Every structure is written in C-alpha cells, then in structure tokens.
C-alpha cells in the first residue's frame, strides 16, 4: 500500500515540475521507470522468466509452411477420429457447463481402469485428478511441494518447463545430469544423493525422458523412491511418455505408481497429449497422496476450475481398445524414425548420439559447435528445419540439440537430409 502512495507522490512531483505534460496520464513506461527507481511489485522470479530454447526458435518461424518442424513434442497426426467423434457428440449433447474441478467421474473411472490394466493396481479414486493438462498437473505438484527458498532436484537433461515451475514457486533448481553412455543414458544414484541439501524438498524425474529418450529401469525408480523416503523428500514422477517404449510398441515403461504407498508425498503425472496425439486438448491427470484429495481439488479450482468438459468425454474413448491400436501404430512409427535417425545421423562425424529407448526425441551433441541456439538459428535459416536448442534442457547441454521423431517418416527423412547438409558444412 505504502509503495503505491510513494509512487503516486513521486509521479505527482514529476508532473508538477513540468517534466510530464500535466494533462497526460502516466504511461506504462513512466510507471515501470518509477517502479525500477523504488521497488518493483512484480516478483523478481517472474521478471526473470524467459522463453525456452524451443520457443525462441519456434516463434520466429511458426507460420512458415516451408519449415519442417521438429521443435515441439508432437506429431503431425490429427487426433484419431474415434476420439474426436466422442467430443463432438458431447458438445452436441450440451456438455458445456462447469463440472467437477477434479474431472468428470466417468473419465476418472476410465483412467482408474486403464491404470489397473497397465500396472495391476486398483487406485483409490480419491487419488486421481484431472485438473487440465499434464503441464497444469506438474504445476500443481510444484505448488504442493515447493515454497520460497526451497530446492528441487531435477534429473537432467530435463524438459525446460519444469525449471520454470520451480522458479515460479519461488524455489531454486539443482540439477543432476544423467550419465551419458557408453551404451545408454543412466542414473547415478550416488550423485543424486550427494546433491541433496537441507533445502531440498523434492526430486523431479521424467521417464521415458524428454529429451534423452532414457527409460528408467524399475530398479532405478525403486532406488529413487527409497532415497526420497530416507531423506523425507517429495517425488514428482512425470510419466507422460509411458507408452512410448520404442522397442516394444504397445508396451509400457516402468512406473513409480506400483512402488509407493497411497499417502506418500509422491505425484505421478500422466496425460493424453503424447500417446493419443491430443496435444491441443490440454488434458492430463495426476495421482497424488490420498490425504490431499481436498487440497488438490481446491488447487484445481484455483488454477483452472477443471478441464474442458466435452474434451473429457472425448478422452474416455482414447482409453479403450481403439486407443490401444492407435498407440501401437504411433509408437511403431516413432521407432521407425528413430532407426532412420540412427543410420543417418548416428554415424556422422559431427554427431555424438545415444540410441533413444523411449519418448519421441533424439538429443545429440553436435561436435564443434559451442552455442546450440546459434546452431538452431543457422539450421532454420539455411535449410528450414526447426529444431530445439539444447542449452535450455539444463547444464551440460550447450552443444546439444533436440529433434522430435514423431512426424511422418517421409518428411522426417527430408528433414534429416537437410540437417546432414548443414553438418557437412561445419
Ligand atoms: C516431460 C513432459 N511433461 C509434461 C508435458 C506436458 O504435456 P501436456 O501437453 O499434457 O501439458 C510435456 C510436454 O511436452 C513433457 O515433455
């Protein structure tokens, strides 16, 4: 309050001195200058946010039809029609009203049955929430675990949005990078343990991983859960690529869900975007501690007041037999692209690349560059291929780039040929 009074007084004085035309109300710029001179009411964490190395590239050429986009985490497939039809049916039936912030009951029941089929566990429905997108579910998990001055340990290389979630909560990021090679990415649990400080509140792990394609083995997840138990830490397990097991289309990656008790501070994130080509639907789910049923419902209410209702009716169809057939085809296509990538880029003298096991990305190091953002800009300008700059996936990735492997194989092959042309000129 006092700041507003001081600000008003200063602006009044400036106006009185004639440096501002008396008749003109203070402009946004004058206000910002005033704030900088005193103290800015906008939180420093918010002012410091900047676009990721994905967005910095993509926003410059999003509408250029000649660009082959490998920057975002999505395919070029439209959501299958058996899902779209159900959403249209719901819209026509008038499902256009507010509903439960935690998600409509038939969808939560369908997710419960799906998880039982995948992991053989019958979840208490009070642990299941559909607040909106998986992104929102991650944000809610952050809100539950992190406050000012806390730290979250991120297993890197990591999806850049998680870092921003931590910062928006007022907390700080610490990173432990996966070990790179010789055959695969892997988690050194001793390094994770060594990075824990008295301020550490939680660990974030994402398997199958964006961007590396690492799939945590069940023993790795079990050890991580034990570590969290020993240190009293929360765990956020982001499993949105759970169906993208490239060597087993139709298979399922290990999950922490069967490894934890119902009231542990563990948040398992999942969603519809990745397995069923539903990125624009903004629908995901969260399995949280049972004791948080009410707080999580309130958070869902504050953040979004629930996911789009007719979209939720459509999503139920994704969890049925037609959805399974789609997942199989889609993952097989991503595996085909991964194989092509390994034969075209894998042996290139400018590329160091581990074979991705899961998700739909590759995260190679480009030997001889020092600035991934500049390299991505060059690739975009010279050959019209959109890729993401590795530096924003955490420490140690200045020379890495991320490519999405989910688009149609013919287009993907063209994109790779263009990229190789740039690499050959390095
Ligand atoms: C690791 C990870 N988690 C969560 C999300 C968010 O997915 P959604 O589209 O459901 O918000 C993404 C999206 O790229 C992701 O890569």
């Amino acid at each position: 309050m006092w700041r507003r009074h001081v600000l008003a007084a200063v602006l009044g004085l400036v106006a009185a001195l004639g440096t501002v035309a008396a008749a003109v109300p203070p402009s946004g710029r004058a206000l910002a200058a005033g704030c900088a001179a005193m103290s800015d009411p906008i939180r420093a964490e918010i002012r410091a946010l900047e676009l990721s190395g994905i967005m910095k590239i993509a926003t410059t050429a999003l509408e250029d039809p000649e660009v082959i986009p490998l920057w975002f985490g999505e395919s070029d497939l439209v959501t299958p029609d058996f899902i779209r039809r159900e959403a249209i049916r719901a819209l026509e039936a008038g499902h256009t009203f507010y509903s439960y912030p935690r998600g409509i009951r038939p969808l939560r029941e369908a997710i419960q049955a799906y998880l039982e089929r995948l992991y053989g566990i019958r979840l208490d429905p009070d642990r299941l929430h559909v607040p909106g997108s998986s992104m929102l579910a991650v944000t809610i998990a952050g809100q539950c675990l992190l406050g000012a001055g806390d730290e979250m340990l991120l297993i890197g290389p990591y999806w850049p949005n998680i870092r921003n979630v931590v910062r928006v909560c007022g907390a700080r990021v610490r990173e432990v990078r996966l070990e790179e090679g010789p055959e695969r990415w892997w988690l050194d649990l001793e390094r994770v343990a060594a990075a824990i400080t008295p301020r550490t509140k939680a660990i974030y792990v994402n398997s199958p991983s964006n961007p590396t394609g690492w799939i945590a083995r069940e023993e790795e997840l079990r050890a991580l859960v034990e570590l969290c138990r020993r240190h009293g830490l929360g765990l956020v397990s982001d499993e949105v690529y759970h169906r993208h097991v490239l060597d087993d289309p139709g298979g399922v990656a290990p999950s922490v869900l069967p490894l934890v008790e119902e009231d542990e501070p563990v948040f398992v994130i999942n969603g519809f975007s990745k397995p069923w080509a539903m990125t624009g639907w903004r629908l995901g789910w969260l399995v949280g501690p049972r004791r948080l049923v009410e707080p999580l419902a309130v958070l869902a209410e504050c953040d979004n007041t629930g996911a789009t209702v007719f979209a939720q009716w459509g999503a139920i169809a994704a969890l049925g037999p037609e959805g399974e057939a789609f997942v199989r085809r889609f993952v097989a296509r991503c595996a085909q692209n991964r194989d092509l990538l390994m034969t075209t880029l894998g042996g290139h003298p400018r590329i160091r690349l581990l074979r991705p096991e899961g998700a739909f990305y590759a995260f190679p190091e480009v030997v001889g560059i020092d600035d991934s953002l500049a390299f991505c800009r060059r690739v975009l300008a010279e050959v019209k291929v959109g890729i993401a700059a590795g530096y924003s996936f955490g420490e140690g990735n200045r020379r890495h780039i991320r490519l999405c492997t989910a688009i149609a194989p013919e287009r993907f092959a063209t994109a790779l040929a263009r990229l190789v042309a740039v690499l050959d000129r390095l």
Side-chain angles (χ1 to χ4, degrees), residues 73 133-136 138 159 204 206 210 238 240-241 271-274 279 282-284 361:
S133 63
S134 318
M135 179 65 245
L136 183 60
V138 173
W159 169 58
Y204 168 87
N206 163 225
N210 169 8
D238 183 336
V240 297
Y241 298 98
F272 292 89
S273 286
K274 311 297 177 176
T279 47
R282 316 312 304 127
L283 272 184
Y361 305 99

Side-chain angles (χ1 to χ4, degrees), residues 13-144:
L13 186 63
V14 170
L17 289 171
T19 49
V20 173
V24 179
S27 68
R29 191 179 301 168
L31 261 176
C35 289
M38 292 177 295
S39 83
D40 191 338
I42 305 298
R43 291 169 56 209
E45 296 89 340
I46 302 303
R47 282 184 276 129
L49 292 176
E50 54 170 73
L51 291 178
S52 73
I54 308 172
M55 284 297 177
K56 273 190 182 156
I57 296 291
T59 48
T60 63
L62 211 49
E63 272 141 42
D64 183 340
E66 287 175 32
V67 171
I68 304 183
L70 308 180
W71 38 43
F72 294 144
E74 64 183 353
S75 74
D76 47 7
L77 293 169
V78 173
T79 304
D81 61 351
F82 62 88
I83 301 173
R84 283 185 283 147
R85 265 201 315 272
E86 289 307 312
I88 292 167
R89 214 194 301 277
L91 201 47
E92 284 175 350
H95 288 291
T96 59
F97 296 96
Y98 285 132
S99 186
Y100 299 101
R102 293 180 51 217
I104 59 172
R105 189 182 295 274
L107 177 60
R108 283 193 290 116
E109 284 170 359
I111 296 171
Q112 185 191 32
Y114 172 74
L115 295 177
E116 185 171 6
R117 203 170 74 227
L118 293 194
Y119 307 117
I121 47 165
R122 185 123 189 107
L123 275 184
D124 183 328
D126 279 351
R127 295 180 63 201
L128 241 177
H129 305 258
V130 185
S133 63
S134 318
M135 179 65 245
L136 183 60
V138 173
T139 301
I140 287 175
Q143 289 168 335
C144 289

